[in-house]
């Protein structure tokens, strides 16, 4: 959840600092409660760090420009151990004369024991962080061994937990050493300069040639080479690849916020996730499967583990996957699954859904499921991230980088990918519904154009958001696949506009929550397609009547041509007609737009809401 950048070049000038600051700007979404940089200069290490957003660090650097350098590291933090203060901000220093600087992403779980050992040796600490323990240990080992890579190897073998570490030493200008366990680190290969980053966004403005480090690896970069070893010291190699998106994709592309841009990228997110899913014979295929078809055919239970928005995507998927495969599907919040003594065996398929692929709660659930003997499959948006690596099979969503902290396009891509998975399993089992695979895939192909159409009709939603800026509470109702959509609408409003919002199953309202309705209470109702079976549509229309009769202000999301809702709606937001299972891919869009514009109307930071971070890498 912190952002990490490292750079080495040949020339002593401002490039190193500029590259690192540019990288931090792109990585700020990973955490933004403090930031810092360290440079190796002719006079040793010079560093600056500040609590608050990156602009505070920028101001400090403007007030006290740092000397030129060709070696720099930079960090943007989401606090775990120790509050977001200047003192706790990274880099932390170690070694004789503080000649070493270190930055860290993750949590060092055994830091108490290590700190005690160092304190007993007379080492003094200036912060409350676990990171400073690693800095002091590394400084001590460097002073003993005189080699930064060797010192790193000793230190990482003493650390427990999740960490990416980058370090520089005053005696080693032109060298940055990095290490990773359970936390990401990517090398960027330049010409006479090399880069390190938590993800490729850190250096995408400079190179697309990347090397992803494996678990428990150490990398040493100089301007002309990168050398990888395992934590055991044995030579190793990362996975080299070319980044297919460019710097513009990591920037706002003319939109005022990343979130608005990402909402408008949703047609692409769905279309790209659908790309290349069939082989020459028209059969569906997954990305990386290390489970045999026979084992998958034997799956008798599916458990989806995920958090937040990703869990709502899982709840949507449950309806469709059960419908197509007749395999029972459970959705479990990953942090609940991990500690609830789940009933799982070799015929259970545990499907994790994660945009970042780094969410610690989800990762721990996947590891636990593997330990219990389940097959694990990851639906993920981030190549090379930890969760897909820990899973037996992967289905990547192709939403592109999601920078805004609140998830939008990843949600649509996750539903799309889960639908592909459901249809794939149906195809494998040869169930009756396998025949539907082709027609559903064909209808899915038409969804991007419908989202595009829908995005063009959002003027009234924007107007509503603007005049509702003072609203204190909003309710969201839905049934069937509309229920998780209602909860997602409420989550978006909570996190973006800091408004109390709840999503309910519309049928549940009369069992209690209807007491919340009084005159003027705004309620969004996600109405199912009139083609939904079991008269569900009629039932929801009745629910609207019930709350309208009690004074609610009803804002109804209904399909084109659904006239039944008109008499009971204060506002109708129309979505293009589609079959019931695909409706969530459309119905959520007005809810995202509403939350985005209400947040903007309140003057809030849409891309970086308070207290949140993009990837939550602590349990
Ligand atoms: C909400 C949001 C979060 C994430 C959740 C899981 O807008 O973004 O609820 O969906 O933290 O994150 P990933 O998908 O990265 O595992």
């Amino acid at each position: 959840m912190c952002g990490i950048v490292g750079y080495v070049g040949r020339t002593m000038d401002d490039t190193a600092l500029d590259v690192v600051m540019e990288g931090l700007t792109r990585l700020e979404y990973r955490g933004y409660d403090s930031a810092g940089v360290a440079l190796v200069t002719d006079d040793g290490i010079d560093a600056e760090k500040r609590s608050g957003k990156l602009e505070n660090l920028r101001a400090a650097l403007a007030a006290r420009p740092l000397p030129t350098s060709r070696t720099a590291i930079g960090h943007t933090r989401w606090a775990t151990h120790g509050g977001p203060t200047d003192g706790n901000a990274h880099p932390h220093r170690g070694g004789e004369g503080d000649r070493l600087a270190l930055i860290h992403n993750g949590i060092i779980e055994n830091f108490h024991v290590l700190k005690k050992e160092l304190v007993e040796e007379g080492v003094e600490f200036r912060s409350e962080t676990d990171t400073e323990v690693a800095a002091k240990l590394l400084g001590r080992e460097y002073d003993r061994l005189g080699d930064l890579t060797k010192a790193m190897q000793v230190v990482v073998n003493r650390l427990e937990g999740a960490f990416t570490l980058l370090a520089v030493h005053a005696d080693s200008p032109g060298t940055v050493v990095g290490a990773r366990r359970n936390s990401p680190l990517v090398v960027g290969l330049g010409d006479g300069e090399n880069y390190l980053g938590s993800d490729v966004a850190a250096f995408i403005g400079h190179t697309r040639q990347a090397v992803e480090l494996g678990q428990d690896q150490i990398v040493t970069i100089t301007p002309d080479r990168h050398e990888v070893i395992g934590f055991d010291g044995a030579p190793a190699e990362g996975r080299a690849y070319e980044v297919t998106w460019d710097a513009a994709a990591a920037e706002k592309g003319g939109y005022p916020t990343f979130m608005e841009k990402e909402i408008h990228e949703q047609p692409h997110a769905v279309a790209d996730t659908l790309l290349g899913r069939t082989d020459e014979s028209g059969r569906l295929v997954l990305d990386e499967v290390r489970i045999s078809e026979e084992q998958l055919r034997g799956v008798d239970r599916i458990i989806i583990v995920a958090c937040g928005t990703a869990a709502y995507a899982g709840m949507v998927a449950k309806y469709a996957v059960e419908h197509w495969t007749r395999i029972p599907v459970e959705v479990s919040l990953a942090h609940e699954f991990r500690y609830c003594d789940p009933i799982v065996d070799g015929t259970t398929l545990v499907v994790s859904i994660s945009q970042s692929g780094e969410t610690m709660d989800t990762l721990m659930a996947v590891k636990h499921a593997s330990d219990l003997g389940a097959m694990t499959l990851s639906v993920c948006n981030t190549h090379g991230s930890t969760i897909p690596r820990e899973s037996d099979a992967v289905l990547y969503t192709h939403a592109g980088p999601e920078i805004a902290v609140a998830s939008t396009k990843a949600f649509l891509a996750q539903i799309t990918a889960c639908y592909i998975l459901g249809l794939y399993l149906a195809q494998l089992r040869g169930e009756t519904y396998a025949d539907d695979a082709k027609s559903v895939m064909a209808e899915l192909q038409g969804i991007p154009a419908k989202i595009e159409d829908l995005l063009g009709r959002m003027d009234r939603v924007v107007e509503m958001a603007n005049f509702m800026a003072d609203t204190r509470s909003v309710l969201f109702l839905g049934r069937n696949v509309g229920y998780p959509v209602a909860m997602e609408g409420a989550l978006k409003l909570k996190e973006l506009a800091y408004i109390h919002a709840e999503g309910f199953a519309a049928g549940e309202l009369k069992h209690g929550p209807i007491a919340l309705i009084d005159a003027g209470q705004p309620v969004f109702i996600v109405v199912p397609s009139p083609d939904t079976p079991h008269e569900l549509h009629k039932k929801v229309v009745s629910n609207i009547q019930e709350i309208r009769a009690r004074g609610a202000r009803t804002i109804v999301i209904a399909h084109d041509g659904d006239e039944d809702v008109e008499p009971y709606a204060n506002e109708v937001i129309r979505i293009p007609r589609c079959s019931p299972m695909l409706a969530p891919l459309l119905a959520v869009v007005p809810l995202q737009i509403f939350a985005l514009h209400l947040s903007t109307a309140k003057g809030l930071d849409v891309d970086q809401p308070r207290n949140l971070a993009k990837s939550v890498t602590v349990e």
Side-chain angles (χ1 to χ4, degrees):
M1 65 191 32
C2 302
I4 278 188
V5 194
Y7 172 84
V8 276
R10 288 202 188 115
T11 321
M12 290 296 278
D13 57 18
D14 292 331
T15 309
L17 182 60
D18 290 347
V19 167
V20 162
M21 288 303 288
E22 181 189 326
L24 291 183
T25 307
R26 292 219 175 90
L27 293 182
E28 206 184 0
Y29 71 91
R30 295 179 68 93
Y32 36 82
D33 56 36
S34 60
V37 291
L39 307 181
V40 183
T41 73
D42 285 339
D43 299 319
I45 300 275
D46 205 335
E48 192 62 80
K49 53 189 192 173
R50 282 291 182 276
S51 60
K53 292 198 173 185
L54 199 54
E55 62 209 45
N56 295 358
L57 176 64
R58 249 186 230 114
L61 290 170
R64 185 183 76 88
L66 296 183
T68 55
S69 169
R70 62 194 182 99
T71 314
I73 54 175
H75 187 266
T76 175
R77 178 170 187 248
W78 190 82
T80 54
H81 286 82
T85 61
D86 285 355
N88 287 334
H90 301 204
H92 290 281
R93 310 291 285 272
E96 208 181 316
D98 272 344
R99 290 171 67 74
L100 175 132
L102 175 139
I103 53 180
H104 164 224
N105 172 29
I107 287 190
I108 298 165
E109 283 179 351
N110 60 336
F111 89 100
H112 284 296
V113 185
L114 299 170
K115 189 167 183 175
K116 189 162 173 271
E117 172 187 315
L118 289 161
V119 168
E120 279 166 10
E121 285 175 15
V123 175
E124 283 177 21
F125 284 83
R126 290 178 216 132
S127 79
E128 303 150 289
T129 63
D130 51 344
T131 305
E132 196 181 0
V133 173
K136 297 290 194 257
L137 267 184
L138 191 62
R140 182 182 77 182
E141 292 309 318
Y142 182 91
D143 291 342
R144 196 169 64 82
L145 298 165
D147 181 302
L148 196 51
T149 308
K150 285 192 181 133
M152 183 66 92
Q153 196 196 327
V154 174
V155 169
V156 289
N157 279 296
R158 299 216 50 207
L159 304 182
E160 289 167 16
F163 50 85
T164 300
L165 302 173
L166 293 194
V168 289
H169 196 283
D171 297 348
S172 304
T175 303
V176 181
V177 176
R180 72 160 291 243
R181 166 178 287 168
N182 291 330
S183 178
L185 181 59
V186 190
V187 186
L189 303 177
D191 185 11
E193 48 196 352
N194 284 313
Y195 311 80
L196 290 169
S198 308
D199 67 50
V200 292
F203 48 73
I204 191 68
H206 304 276
T207 179
R208 289 185 182 191
Q209 302 308 316
V211 176
E212 169 199 312
L213 282 204
Q215 178 74 315
D216 288 359
Q217 288 186 342
I218 296 171
V219 64
T220 305
I221 60 164
T222 65
D224 305 306
R225 68 185 173 88
H226 76 280
E227 219 166 80
V228 183
I229 56 170
F231 280 9
D232 58 1
E237 269 183 36
R239 186 183 69 87
Y241 65 104
E242 189 173 339
V243 183
T244 50
W245 48 273
D246 58 16
E251 285 159 9
K252 290 180 192 157
Y255 289 95
T257 60
F258 279 113
M259 189 172 169
E260 191 159 352
K261 171 175 173 257
E262 287 160 12
I263 289 173
H264 283 84
E265 285 171 344
Q266 294 187 117
H268 283 291
V270 173
D272 292 352
T273 300
L274 287 168
L275 271 182
R277 294 296 175 192
T278 44
D279 62 14
E280 318 76 60
S281 59
R283 286 174 65 80
L284 285 163
V285 284
L286 301 187
D287 292 326
E288 292 170 25
V289 192
R290 295 172 286 274
I291 317 174
S292 71
E293 289 203 354
E294 201 186 327
Q295 279 174 297
L296 282 173
R297 242 176 242 117
V299 169
D300 59 10
R301 194 155 158 255
I302 296 173
I303 305 180
I304 298 178
V305 292
C307 303
T309 291
Y312 296 145
M315 286 178 68
V316 170
K318 172 188 157 74
Y319 293 93
V321 177
E322 284 188 339
H323 179 65
W324 291 324
T325 65
R326 308 311 298 155
I327 303 172
V329 180
E330 233 176 84
V331 183
S332 185
L333 291 171
H335 35 91
E336 289 296 316
F337 172 87
R338 172 61 188 84
Y339 299 103
C340 76
D341 201 6
I343 302 166
V344 164
D345 61 22
T347 52
T348 312
L349 178 67
V350 172
V351 177
S352 60
I353 307 177
S354 176
Q355 188 286 128
S356 62
E358 300 293 343
T359 300
M360 190 55 80
D361 289 319
T362 309
L363 174 62
M364 288 302 144
V366 171
K367 285 189 170 173
H368 190 50
S370 284
D371 291 346
L372 295 173
M375 293 169 261
T376 56
L377 185 147
S378 149
V379 170
C380 185
N381 196 43
T382 311
H383 277 257
S385 57
T386 311
I387 295 172
R389 295 155 82 99
E390 293 288 332
S391 304
D392 301 318
V394 187
L395 208 165
Y396 282 109
T397 50
H398 297 298
E402 194 179 61
I403 308 293
V405 167
S407 195
T408 52
K409 61 178 179 171
F411 179 67
L412 267 69
Q414 286 160 349
I415 295 173
T416 307
C418 287
Y419 281 13
I420 293 167
L421 173 64
L423 295 170
Y424 172 80
L425 291 173
Q427 166 188 285
L428 274 185
R429 289 163 70 90
E431 298 284 335
T432 339
Y433 289 105
D435 296 342
D436 286 353
K438 274 203 179 123
S439 63
V440 177
M441 282 301 282
E443 198 189 344
L444 271 169
Q445 305 286 357
I447 289 290
K450 291 186 178 177
I451 303 171
E452 203 74 70
D453 167 19
L454 181 57
L455 285 167
R457 348 169 165 174
M458 288 292 100
D459 291 354
R460 181 63 191 148
V461 177
V462 176
E463 264 173 38
M464 280 190 325
N466 285 333
F467 71 67
M468 285 173 71
D470 295 331
T471 304
R472 311 217 24 181
S473 157
V474 182
L475 304 182
F476 294 78
L477 305 181
R479 267 178 118 128
N480 194 266
V481 286
Y483 169 36
V485 171
M487 290 197 286
E488 172 62 4
L491 176 60
K492 288 285 95 76
L493 202 56
K494 283 183 237 196
E495 60 186 344
L496 292 176
Y498 317 151
I499 287 180
H500 172 256
E502 291 295 333
F504 295 110
E508 186 64 13
L509 207 67
K510 57 188 174 297
H511 298 287
I514 200 162
L516 291 170
I517 308 285
D518 60 7
Q521 169 67 53
V523 185
F524 279 83
I525 307 101
V526 181
V527 179
S529 150
D531 307 329
T532 309
H534 314 303
E535 302 204 317
L536 203 65
H537 176 263
K538 266 197 200 149
K539 303 265 159 46
V540 175
V541 174
S542 305
N543 296 144
I544 306 174
Q545 275 177 265
E546 286 154 21
I547 53 169
R548 179 71 188 271
R550 287 160 178 83
R553 193 164 156 262
T554 54
I555 306 158
V556 173
I557 298 176
H559 288 235
D560 282 338
D562 178 357
E563 299 307 327
D564 298 350
V565 297
E566 291 283 354
Y568 317 109
N570 291 93
E571 299 275 352
V572 185
I573 302 165
R574 294 284 174 190
I575 62 170
R577 206 147 180 145
C578 65
S579 60
M581 286 297 178
L582 304 194
L585 294 165
L586 300 170
V588 74
V589 174
L591 304 183
Q592 297 168 335
I593 297 274
F594 178 73
L596 162 78
H597 286 279
L598 207 142
S599 169
T600 310
K602 288 179 78 171
L604 300 174
D605 187 339
V606 171
D607 286 334
Q608 295 178 346
R610 69 184 178 202
N611 303 337
L612 301 179
K614 185 67 183 160
S615 45
V616 184
T617 53
V618 287
E619 273 190 90

